[in-house]
């Protein structure tokens, strides 16, 4: 299990080039090359995983196919820290590496009922930032869409993921960027937005 600590921000698509040209990014190296991520989220027809505030997805990143399980946590001002389990996906779900017994047992129980519910499709660019000595943050820019049942909505957001340092460092960087860019904290995850679209609920 890994612990993901990130600060999620929405960005007006009109400011994309302004973000890419920002001095903070201009000084930072790109991690790899921008790539398209195709994600499919699964649940039971009764949305039992949603009811337990869990998310299960498969992700295609080039030739790599991954299975990810996430358990939700409270998000405050866009900041969240949540457990996740990720492994290669071979075409059949395998939850043997989930080391929280209650989570693994529920997933194994529901496995025969799991069906695709919605997808996210976006291009991701990642920069490695070192705002101060000892602090490492990945800035990920995602632009694409969420889709289900013939409906879709646009997606444009920035994720600041803490590699080393303190969560306060994420806010410090976000405030620095927000002085020049139309960024807003986002407490609703991609999975939550996908479920809302699936259920026809207003944002």
């Amino acid at each position: 299990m890994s612990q993901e600590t990130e600060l999620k921000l929405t960005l007006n698509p009109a400011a994309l080039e302004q973000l890419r040209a920002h001095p903070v990014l201009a000084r930072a190296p790109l991690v790899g090359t921008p790539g398209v991520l195709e994600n499919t989220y699964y649940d039971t027809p009764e949305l039992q995983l949603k009811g337990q505030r869990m998310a299960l997805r498969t992700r295609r990143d080039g030739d790599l196919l991954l299975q990810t399980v996430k358990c939700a946590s409270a998000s405050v001002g866009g900041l969240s820290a949540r457990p996740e389990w990720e492994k290669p996906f071979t075409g059949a779900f395998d939850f043997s590496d989930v080391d929280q017994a209650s989570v693994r047992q529920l997933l194994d129980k529901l496995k025969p009922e799991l069906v695709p519910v919605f997808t996210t499709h976006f291009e991701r660019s990642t920069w490695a930032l070192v705002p101060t000595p000892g602090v490492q943050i990945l800035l990920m820019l995602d632009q694409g869409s969420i889709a289900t049942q013939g409906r879709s909505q646009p997606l444009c957001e920035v994720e600041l993921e803490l590699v080393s340092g303190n969560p306060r460092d994420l806010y410090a960087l976000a405030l620095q960027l927000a002085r020049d860019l139309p960024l807003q904290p986002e407490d609703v995850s991609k999975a939550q937005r996908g479920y809302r679209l699936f259920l026809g609920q207003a944002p």
Side-chain angles (χ1 to χ4, degrees), residues 164-179:
S164 63
N166 188 286
R168 288 191 299 269
D169 298 314
L170 297 178
Y171 279 115
L173 177 60
L175 288 169
Q176 182 182 357
L177 293 169
R179 284 197 290 266

Side-chain angles (χ1 to χ4, degrees), residues 5-9 24 74-81 129 131-132 135-139 158-179 183-187:
T5 301
E6 66 180 17
L7 180 61
K8 194 181 299 290
L9 307 162
V24 168
S75 178
V76 180
L79 182 71
S80 63
L129 308 180
T132 57
V135 176
Q136 298 181 54
I137 295 171
L138 295 179
L139 185 151
V158 171
E159 292 183 7
L160 302 178
E161 183 174 324
L162 190 65
V163 179
S164 63
N166 188 286
R168 288 191 299 269
D169 298 314
L170 297 178
Y171 279 115
L173 177 60
L175 288 169
Q176 182 182 357
L177 293 169
R179 284 197 290 266
L183 291 164
Q184 295 287 336
E186 176 58 83
D187 285 324

Side-chain angles (χ1 to χ4, degrees), residues 120-136:
T120 63
H121 181 98
F122 53 87
E123 181 179 81
R124 168 169 287 181
S125 300
T126 303
W127 289 264
L129 308 180
V130 183
T132 57
V135 176
Q136 298 181 54

Side-chain angles (χ1 to χ4, degrees), residues 24-59:
V24 168
L25 271 65
R27 297 190 298 265
L30 270 169
V31 179
T33 57
V36 173
L37 301 180
E38 300 176 356
N39 308 279
T40 302
Y41 287 77
Y42 293 80
D43 207 330
T44 68
E46 295 79 22
L47 305 185
Q48 290 169 273
L49 291 182
K50 177 181 182 295
Q52 296 296 319
R53 304 186 71 229
M54 295 167 54
L56 169 65
R57 75 169 185 227
T58 58
R59 164 171 288 177

Side-chain angles (χ1 to χ4, degrees), residues 40-104:
T40 302
Y41 287 77
Y42 293 80
D43 207 330
T44 68
E46 295 79 22
L47 305 185
Q48 290 169 273
L49 291 182
K50 177 181 182 295
Q52 296 296 319
R53 304 186 71 229
M54 295 167 54
L56 169 65
R57 75 169 185 227
T58 58
R59 164 171 288 177
R60 181 173 294 281
D61 181 0
D63 294 330
L64 185 64
L65 194 58
L66 297 171
Q67 165 194 302
T68 305
V69 175
K70 294 190 179 189
C71 292
S73 65
S75 178
V76 180
L79 182 71
S80 63
R82 56 192 174 185
E84 69 172 28
W85 297 266
E86 190 166 74
K87 65 187 301 180
F89 182 64
T90 59
F93 289 118
D94 175 11
F95 304 118
S96 58
D97 63 321
V98 177
D99 55 6
Q100 287 189 11
S102 59
V103 174
R104 184 180 63 254

